[in-house]
């Protein structure tokens, strides 16, 4: 019997599909902007126009990739920072809880002895 896919696998697949669609939209946008850029340049030959559009698209996509990589690196560093702070807060809360429980136990023991 084949089991159902895990939720994590579904999330990963959804993220990949979303990333693919967003990148395809970025490509389409870059191509449209390249056509708009070369549109007013009526003196260009067809080959020149295609070359400029190709370079424009390549440059736009390279910049978009660099931006995405920079954003992803920042997200990862923020995640690590917040995980560190969360772990530290959790340790403090546990230490405080243990201190309060120890204090209450000691107080109860003293009250029983008196």
């Amino acid at each position: 019997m084949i089991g159902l896919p895990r939720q994590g696998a579904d999330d990963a697949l959804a993220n990949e599909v979303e990333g693919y669609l967003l990148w395809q939209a970025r490509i389409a946008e870059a191509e449209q902007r390249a056509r708009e850029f070369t549109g007013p340049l009526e003196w260009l030959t067809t080959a020149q126009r295609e070359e400029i559009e190709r370079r424009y698209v390549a440059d736009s996509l390279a910049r978009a990739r660099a931006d995405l990589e920079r954003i992803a690196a920042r997200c990862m560093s923020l995640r690590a920072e917040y995980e560190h702070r969360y772990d530290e807060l959790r340790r403090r809360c546990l230490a405080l809880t243990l201190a309060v429980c120890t204090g209450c136990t000691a107080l109860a023991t003293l009250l029983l002895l008196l």
Side-chain angles (χ1 to χ4, degrees), residues 74-113:
R74 180 64 178 144
C75 287
M76 298 212 26
S77 70
L78 283 174
R79 180 182 185 134
E81 182 181 336
Y82 282 118
E83 285 176 352
H84 175 72
R85 287 185 183 199
Y86 175 77
D87 289 341
E88 185 178 314
L89 179 62
R90 190 172 58 186
R91 280 192 298 276
R92 285 183 189 172
C93 288
L94 180 62
L96 181 63
T97 301
L98 289 174
V100 168
C101 289
T102 302
C104 289
T105 303
L107 181 64
T109 304
L110 283 176
L111 289 175
L112 286 175
L113 293 176

Side-chain angles (χ1 to χ4, degrees), residues 41-56:
L41 307 175
E42 298 169 356
W43 48 269
L44 290 174
T45 65
T46 303
Q48 290 172 331
R49 182 179 309 278
E50 288 173 356
E51 178 66 16
I52 290 172
E53 287 177 4
R54 186 189 62 74
R55 287 182 182 220
Y56 188 99

Side-chain angles (χ1 to χ4, degrees), residues 10-79:
D10 289 344
D11 291 343
L13 179 61
N15 286 339
E16 285 186 39
V17 169
E18 181 182 16
Y20 174 79
L21 292 175
L22 287 172
W23 190 250
Q24 292 302 312
R26 177 69 71 173
I27 291 171
E29 177 186 353
E31 290 170 346
Q32 177 63 33
R33 292 183 69 197
R35 284 189 296 274
E36 291 172 0
F37 179 76
T38 58
L41 307 175
E42 298 169 356
W43 48 269
L44 290 174
T45 65
T46 303
Q48 290 172 331
R49 182 179 309 278
E50 288 173 356
E51 178 66 16
I52 290 172
E53 287 177 4
R54 186 189 62 74
R55 287 182 182 220
Y56 188 99
V57 169
D59 181 64
S60 294
L61 295 179
R63 289 173 187 255
R65 178 176 290 278
D67 290 343
L68 289 173
E69 288 172 354
R70 204 171 29 256
I71 290 168
R74 180 64 178 144
C75 287
M76 298 212 26
S77 70
L78 283 174
R79 180 182 185 134

